[in-house]
Amino acid sequence: MSNQDELLGEYKEHLLGVFGDPSLVLVSGEGVHVTDANGKRYLDLLAGIAVNALGHAHPAWVRAVSEQAGALAHISNLFTSPGSIHLAEKLLKVTGAPEGSHVFFANSGSEANEAAFKLARRHGRAHPDAQGRPRTRVLALENSFHGRTMGSLSLTAKAAYREPFEPLPAGVTHIPATAEALERQLDDTVSAVIVEPVQGEAGVHGLPEGFLALARRLTQERGALLIVDEVQSGMGRTGAWLAATAQLPRGEFPDAVTFAKGLGGGFPVGAMLTAGPEVSALLGAGQHGTTFGGNPLAMAAGLATVTTLENENLLVNAREVGAHLAQRLREVPGVGEVRQYGLLVGVDLVAENTEDAENAGTSGDPMAQRVVAAAREAGFILNATGPTTLRLAPPLIITAEQADTFVEALPHVLKTVRAR
Ligand SMILES: *Cc1c(COP(=O)(O)O)cnc(C)c1O
């Protein structure tokens, strides 16, 4: 038995099964590559699900985190450190947040969204409906993913994630991303509308043209907050600091934005940005908190990530290599629609039979899972977001040549899957 198989056996014995059976035990990484416990090397086209923006063991990130670990790692929020102040300043600056905006640091995307949910509840109290009752409803979108904690789960659309844990915090209505649904549902009982500008977990789907701009206008007119979940799409992933910017009229900004995945470059860092003094005032002293949020080690990781993204011009790289990759993928036989936002890429596979097309996969793994497994054998890491959809979210440092090695291997990968 290989070293890796032995470890995977022990994993099953000791770790809760919520993640199913992991396919690999990874032990090291460098740049866009990772190595497993058997010494096999892979091109990492997933980056820990859109997290490792700088790839693995980037020297600037390693230096910053190591130095900080040797100086001061954790202090609680009874105190502060230069890192949280500097990262907050940086985040407000690069995103173009309006004057009087503020940042709350958390440790994950779910936690950032919990904070935003609490912000919505506070806003609902501060801006009651026509009868003087607090606004208690929140509108979220169909196919949304906002996290797995009880609050963020109630914002998440997928029934299979939600139903086993009901009752969840009440008041969330999931609507289709249409102007008509928004016009109809956004009344004076709604405290906030939360949207992902690009739905990553749903298979990388952008919002319909004009939808976010309409949501901005209607929330303003009708007294609700617009919360944008940039946990996956933010921090350069789509080639911009905020994926929302391209979808909003110039000068417009959401009322709150949440971040996580790419922000720490591999260290758990989440954040909520509150736009402007009025929104920032909704959560006062004692109304929210976290032990770990904003700790010096996390802030060093975040600062190193953001500064390196700037210094190495990686947002431009995300746009250029992303466009190149998508264009080449579209030429591969067996590949259907390719949806590309910077280096967040959804790839639909042409279903080989109706079972795959209909999402069943009851007689074995769905097609996309089999492609993921075959790609792994060929030395590439990616994942499936649906029965016939692959997601690529490589490190933002990836070159076109490195991306090409996957495109060139894909026809063979698809052939082995179809032959089985
Ligand atoms: C991953 C993700 C989350 C949840 O983040 P966690 O760090 O896993 O809690 C929330 N929203 C979006 C859009 C995500 O992609």
Side-chain angles (χ1 to χ4, degrees):
M1 198 156 56
S2 73
N3 188 22
Q4 175 151 270
D5 289 343
E6 226 168 277
L7 284 166
L8 287 173
E10 288 173 32
Y11 176 99
K12 261 178 113 72
E13 223 175 291
H14 303 308
L15 282 110
L16 197 65
V18 291
F19 300 109
D21 293 336
S23 52
L24 297 174
V25 178
L26 297 175
V27 295
S28 65
E30 190 182 0
V32 293
H33 294 99
V34 288
T35 302
D36 73 15
N38 290 343
K40 180 173 162 134
R41 204 166 88 120
Y42 303 84
L43 179 67
D44 184 2
L45 295 166
L46 192 58
I49 314 187
V51 167
N52 304 299
L54 308 179
H56 301 277
H58 190 290
W61 189 93
V62 171
R63 198 179 322 113
V65 173
S66 311
E67 278 174 12
Q68 189 61 52
L72 186 67
H74 178 81
I75 53 174
S76 89
N77 281 300
L78 301 173
F79 311 98
T80 190
S81 66
S84 61
I85 298 160
H86 293 148
L87 184 57
E89 280 173 356
K90 195 90 199 162
L91 202 53
L92 294 168
K93 181 149 177 274
V94 296
T95 56
E99 275 303 302
S101 298
H102 292 79
V103 177
F104 168 79
F105 286 114
N107 313 287
S108 68
S110 295
E111 277 183 64
N113 286 332
E114 289 289 336
F117 201 161
K118 287 178 79 172
L119 187 79
R121 290 285 203 246
R122 296 295 305 152
H123 178 81
R125 278 180 173 70
H127 298 83
D129 68 12
Q131 270 82 51
R133 295 172 305 209
R135 295 167 176 244
T136 53
R137 289 174 68 225
V138 174
L139 302 184
L141 294 183
E142 288 176 357
N143 303 312
S144 63
F145 183 81
H146 297 292
R148 303 283 206 146
T149 57
M150 295 301 260
S152 65
L153 185 57
S154 74
L155 301 169
T156 293
K158 196 169 172 172
Y161 290 169
R162 306 161 47 83
E163 282 168 3
F165 304 100
E166 288 173 348
L168 297 170
V172 181
T173 306
H174 291 95
I175 65 167
T178 65
E180 198 247 321
L182 194 61
E183 287 275 6
R184 189 156 34 82
Q185 292 282 353
L186 184 43
D187 57 26
D188 72 354
T189 66
V190 172
S191 63
V193 176
I194 181 165
V195 301
E196 297 158 87
V198 179
Q199 293 184 323
E201 299 304 301
V204 189
H205 289 274
L207 291 173
E209 180 90 38
F211 181 82
L212 195 62
L214 178 70
R216 176 63 294 183
R217 185 166 64 75
L218 289 184
T219 47
Q220 249 153 9
E221 287 173 7
R222 301 182 188 179
L225 297 178
L226 176 64
I227 301 169
V228 173
D229 179 346
E230 297 260 10
V231 167
Q232 187 158 168
S233 58
M235 300 315 293
R237 173 55 51 190
T238 68
W241 294 107
L242 298 180
T245 306
Q247 302 179 33
L248 288 171
R250 244 186 118 74
E252 296 288 345
F253 203 84
D255 296 306
V257 186
T258 56
F259 303 92
K261 292 192 166 82
L263 176 56
F267 200 97
V269 188
M272 172 178 70
L273 187 162
T274 52
E278 248 179 76
V279 179
S280 298
L282 289 171
L283 285 172
Q287 288 182 321
H288 194 46
T290 157
T291 298
F292 291 120
N295 103 6
L297 204 48
M299 299 298 98
L303 266 173
T305 304
V306 181
T307 25
T308 307
L309 288 171
E310 287 183 319
N311 294 345
E312 297 188 5
N313 228 358
L314 294 177
L315 275 60
V316 174
N317 193 64
R319 293 198 288 274
E320 290 177 356
V321 178
H324 169 84
L325 174 61
Q327 189 196 341
R328 292 222 43 200
L329 284 167
R330 291 185 183 111
E331 293 161 4
V332 176
V335 166
E337 186 175 84
V338 177
R339 296 172 294 278
Q340 178 254 333
Y341 302 86
L343 277 169
L344 187 56
V345 183
V347 182
D348 285 348
L349 301 165
V350 180
E352 27 179 11
N353 54 46
T354 47
E355 190 184 304
D356 280 326
E358 283 164 8
N359 179 19
T362 41
S363 63
D365 289 339
M367 183 186 182
Q369 287 295 357
R370 301 199 304 275
V371 171
V372 167
R376 191 166 61 235
E377 275 172 44
F380 301 94
I381 289 180
L382 51 143
N383 89 328
T385 58
T388 56
T389 304
L390 305 173
R391 169 176 46 188
L392 306 178
L396 305 186
I397 57 167
I398 195 170
T399 65
E401 292 70 33
Q402 288 164 335
D404 282 347
T405 63
F406 172 67
V407 179
E408 277 146 26
L410 189 56
H412 178 71
V413 166
L414 293 178
K415 209 155 76 188
T416 54
V417 167
R418 285 178 208 277
R420 270 169 202 165

